[in-house]
Amino acid sequence: MAWTRTALSSAALGVVLMRAFGDRTGFLATGLLLVFQGLVFLIYAGYRYYRLMYLIEKKQFDPTKIAVALLTLLTVSVVTTVAVLIAISTN
């Protein structure tokens, strides 16, 4: 459920950026990237849910750390890009 919430938050932020700053190319591209990231997170959430349900039933569950690290890195890079674009546009 947390992955779904993260996906919706990411997509919503992308829509807000596109609506608020749609006339600026950097914000439009970043907004589209966030919407795409939300879609990827949503697909991953569904996959992860059913995969973990299967592994738990088979008693083979082993927590993964690499996926969380990679998706965290992706999110941090997108948020940094948004912060830089906002800083540049206000000057």
Side-chain angles (χ1 to χ4, degrees), residues 21-79:
F21 304 103
D23 56 343
R24 298 182 185 137
T25 307
F27 284 102
L28 182 61
T30 305
L32 287 172
L33 181 65
L34 282 167
V35 170
F36 179 73
Q37 176 181 323
L39 180 63
V40 169
F41 281 5
L42 193 59
I43 292 168
Y44 180 73
Y47 166 77
R48 184 159 171 80
Y49 174 80
Y50 287 108
R51 178 77 179 144
L52 290 181
M53 187 171 58
Y54 171 78
L55 290 174
I56 289 170
E57 287 175 356
K58 298 289 182 185
K59 300 194 185 320
Q60 298 175 346
F61 175 70
D62 185 30
T64 181
K65 295 177 180 80
I66 189 73
V68 173
L70 289 175
L71 292 174
T72 301
L73 180 64
L74 175 66
T75 303
V76 167
S77 65
V78 169
V79 168

Side-chain angles (χ1 to χ4, degrees), residues 2-3 7-9 26 37 50 65 80 86:
W3 284 106
L8 293 175
S9 300
Q37 176 181 323
Y50 287 108
K65 295 177 180 80
T80 303
I86 290 172

